[in-house]
Every structure is written in C-alpha cells, then in structure tokens.
Amino acid sequence: MKPVLKMSVLAATIFLAVGCQDDNKADTNKPAEPAKVEQVAAKAPAAKVEFKTEDQKAAYAIGASLAQYLSANLDQQKELGLELNRQDVLQGVEDVFAGKSRLTPEQTQQALQELDQRVAKIVEEKAKEEAAKNVKAGEEFREKFAKESGVVTTKTGLMYKIEKEGTGPKPTATDTVEVHYKGMLTDGTVFDSSYQRNQPATFPLNQVIPGWTEGVQLMPVGSKFEFVIPPQLAYGAQANPSIPANSTLVFEVELLGIKGDKTAKPAEAPAEKPAATETKTQ
C-alpha cells in the first residue's frame, strides 16, 4: 500500500472512532461508544456485543481492524524517530469532515510524499549503519576463528574446521546431497536448523550459497564440518528477516549422503593440492 493510502486510511479510521463517540453523546439509543466496548471486552472477553444491524457490525469491524493496523504503523514510525502526534491526525480528520481543511488535496499529497521520502531516507541510513556493524563484527569473528587449531582458509575466504572426517566419497557441485545442519549468526543466534525440524535437508549443491557449494565439496560422506562463511560467499548486502545484510554466517554441517549411485564410488582426489589453495592454522 502506498504511503498516501496508508495515511488516508488512518485518517478515516480515527474519524470512525471519534464519530461514533460524538454520535453516542447525542443519541443515547445508539450502542455503547468504542472505548466502553473495549473496557467491557478487556474485563470479560467472552461478553457478546450487540449491534442493531449486520451493516453496523461490519462497519465497526472495519474501523476496529484498520485502527489496530494503523496504530501499529504509527508505532513503527515512532521507532524511526518520527513523532506523528495522534491528536494532529485526529484534527486533520475532523477538519476535513467539517469542510474546513487547512490543506488542499494537492498540499496533502505533497506532505505525504515528503513523509514517505523522510521515512525512506531514515530506513536507508539505519540499514547502512547496521550493515557496517555487521561487516566489522564478521571481520572480528573470522580473525578470531582463524586462530583456532585446525582451521583452514581457502582462496575465496571460506573457513572451515573438521569436527569429524568421514570415509565416503566427496560430492561435486552438480550432485544432490543430504545433510543435517545448523546455521547461526556470529552472536550465536540460530536462524535455521534441520536438527530442530528433525528432518535432514536434500538439495542440489549448485543451488545454494557459494560458501555451501564450495564447502560441502570438501566433505567426504560421513563428515561433520564447521564452516564460517564471509558475506561475499553468503548473502552479501542482501538482508532478510533472519539474516541481516553483510552477515558472516556460521554453519555446522553433517554430510549424510549423495543422491544417486555416486556413494558407491571411491573418494576422488582434489583438483588442486590443499597447500596451493588453502591456509591452515596449526
């Protein structure tokens, strides 16, 4: 929904609530005002609220639903540092319905567009700050991890440590593998885990992040490795709800098997000697 629509609906929602209150004061035969209905509901959730008609009930429900959503929207903008006073919003609603708006439709549209731009700028700045923090935190984590015994760093920057080395074959990038894994941020936050689902994952190795494609090919079946994957081999500057931008990721991976008949073949020698492509901490 565009910002102008968000704010327009917000104004309409608040007007519905205030309009009901004003009408209730003038007509004692109308249903209890929203504030009183909420109080009753809070004390006795099972209480049934009566409406004269289904249309009245539907209209009230629309207003209540919109008010809940838009109230949360205002709270989110407050978290960004914007102080959108609800009384000012309410005053705008009252003025428009009274036919005495202090802004023309064009001025209203412009004000909302400016608000949208301000919000976008704040969000962008916060995202940059967060991404920079993640870069620094990742660098510090990888520097510390590199000093641990047995850690290997490849030419690409992928880091790994062998917790258990299997005796089976190694997959290639075009193979489909079966794994158990746990993915974490550098602070230990788990964002994904096949262990928690109690179900191994199966996927083509060339359809995952580069750090996985490279790393799992180093694992004989039956192995368990710990991988530390820098942002450029993970999701980079792309952010999602569980993984912030520029995050270094930590994975514990068990290679359970390779789909097809490759599991019957002996392990193949690596294309290059590890010493030529990797550094290892003693």
Side-chain angles (χ1 to χ4, degrees), residues 26-42:
D27 185 353
T28 57
N29 292 324
K30 290 189 176 181
E33 62 188 64
K36 292 182 178 178
V37 172
E38 290 174 359
Q39 292 172 3
V40 172

Side-chain angles (χ1 to χ4, degrees), residues 4 103-118:
V4 63
L103 295 175
T104 65
E106 292 75 19
Q107 290 172 328
T108 299
Q109 177 75 10
Q110 181 180 355
L112 293 175
Q113 289 176 344
E114 291 172 352
L115 171 62
D116 187 39
Q117 293 169 0
R118 288 167 58 200

Side-chain angles (χ1 to χ4, degrees), residues 131-145 159 186 228-231 246-249:
K133 290 180 181 179
N134 294 333
V135 169
K136 183 177 180 181
E139 290 173 347
E140 292 175 350
F141 184 91
R142 296 196 304 274
E143 182 179 354
K144 182 178 179 180
F145 183 73
M159 308 176 77
T186 55
V228 172
I229 303 177
N246 290 336
S247 290
T248 290
L249 305 182

Side-chain angles (χ1 to χ4, degrees), residues 146-219:
K147 296 177 181 178
E148 294 185 13
S149 177
V151 170
V152 178
T153 302
T154 70
K155 287 194 305 182
T156 63
L158 174 69
M159 308 176 77
Y160 68 91
K161 181 167 60 174
I162 301 174
E163 296 186 2
K164 173 187 174 184
E165 187 162 18
T167 58
K170 295 179 180 179
T172 66
T174 57
D175 283 323
T176 295
V177 296
E178 182 179 16
V179 298
H180 252 319
Y181 68 92
K182 178 171 69 174
M184 298 166 285
L185 304 179
T186 55
D187 64 1
T189 301
V190 177
F191 59 81
D192 192 14
S193 173
S194 66
Y195 295 107
Q196 291 179 355
R197 294 188 294 271
N198 197 31
Q199 178 66 46
T202 301
F203 48 78
L205 201 50
N206 58 3
Q207 294 184 17
V208 289
I209 58 175
W212 264 74
T213 302
E214 177 185 357
V216 176
Q217 289 184 79
L218 302 172
M219 302 178 67

Side-chain angles (χ1 to χ4, degrees), residues 6-282:
K6 290 182 180 178
M7 296 306 296
S8 298
V9 176
L10 170 62
T13 301
I14 297 179
F15 174 80
L16 285 175
V18 175
C20 288
Q21 292 176 5
D22 290 342
D23 289 344
N24 289 333
K25 294 177 182 178
D27 185 353
T28 57
N29 292 324
K30 290 189 176 181
E33 62 188 64
K36 292 182 178 178
V37 172
E38 290 174 359
Q39 292 172 3
V40 172
K43 294 178 181 179
K48 184 178 180 180
V49 179
E50 297 292 342
F51 293 92
K52 290 184 177 180
T53 67
E54 286 300 310
D55 285 349
Q56 184 185 54
K57 181 179 179 181
Y60 182 87
I62 290 172
S65 177
L66 289 173
Q68 291 169 358
Y69 167 77
L70 294 166
S71 178
N73 185 271
L74 282 180
D75 289 341
Q76 290 174 352
Q77 295 191 16
K78 185 175 182 180
E79 291 177 0
L80 294 177
L82 296 173
E83 293 292 339
L84 300 183
N85 190 292
R86 296 177 188 230
Q87 292 302 315
D88 291 334
V89 176
L90 178 58
Q91 187 63 57
V93 175
E94 292 178 336
D95 287 351
V96 168
F97 275 87
K100 54 179 183 180
S101 174
R102 287 178 283 176
L103 295 175
T104 65
E106 292 75 19
Q107 290 172 328
T108 299
Q109 177 75 10
Q110 181 180 355
L112 293 175
Q113 289 176 344
E114 291 172 352
L115 171 62
D116 187 39
Q117 293 169 0
R118 288 167 58 200
V119 169
K121 184 176 181 181
I122 292 172
V123 170
E124 182 180 4
E125 290 175 350
K126 286 184 176 292
K128 288 181 179 179
E129 292 176 1
E130 183 68 21
K133 290 180 181 179
N134 294 333
V135 169
K136 183 177 180 181
E139 290 173 347
E140 292 175 350
F141 184 91
R142 296 196 304 274
E143 182 179 354
K144 182 178 179 180
F145 183 73
K147 296 177 181 178
E148 294 185 13
S149 177
V151 170
V152 178
T153 302
T154 70
K155 287 194 305 182
T156 63
L158 174 69
M159 308 176 77
Y160 68 91
K161 181 167 60 174
I162 301 174
E163 296 186 2
K164 173 187 174 184
E165 187 162 18
T167 58
K170 295 179 180 179
T172 66
T174 57
D175 283 323
T176 295
V177 296
E178 182 179 16
V179 298
H180 252 319
Y181 68 92
K182 178 171 69 174
M184 298 166 285
L185 304 179
T186 55
D187 64 1
T189 301
V190 177
F191 59 81
D192 192 14
S193 173
S194 66
Y195 295 107
Q196 291 179 355
R197 294 188 294 271
N198 197 31
Q199 178 66 46
T202 301
F203 48 78
L205 201 50
N206 58 3
Q207 294 184 17
V208 289
I209 58 175
W212 264 74
T213 302
E214 177 185 357
V216 176
Q217 289 184 79
L218 302 172
M219 302 178 67
V221 171
S223 298
K224 182 176 183 180
F225 282 26
E226 180 179 4
F227 293 104
V228 172
I229 303 177
Q232 69 271 19
L233 298 179
Y235 298 99
Q238 177 184 349
N240 63 55
S242 58
I243 302 177
N246 290 336
S247 290
T248 290
L249 305 182
V250 182
F251 283 95
E252 293 178 3
V253 182
E254 287 186 80
L255 180 57
L256 304 179
I258 304 171
K259 295 298 182 181
D261 60 359
K262 186 173 177 58
T263 54
K265 299 178 182 179
E268 298 177 0
E272 299 182 52
K273 294 182 180 180
T277 61
E278 304 171 340
T279 59
K280 185 171 182 179
T281 304
Q282 299 296 331

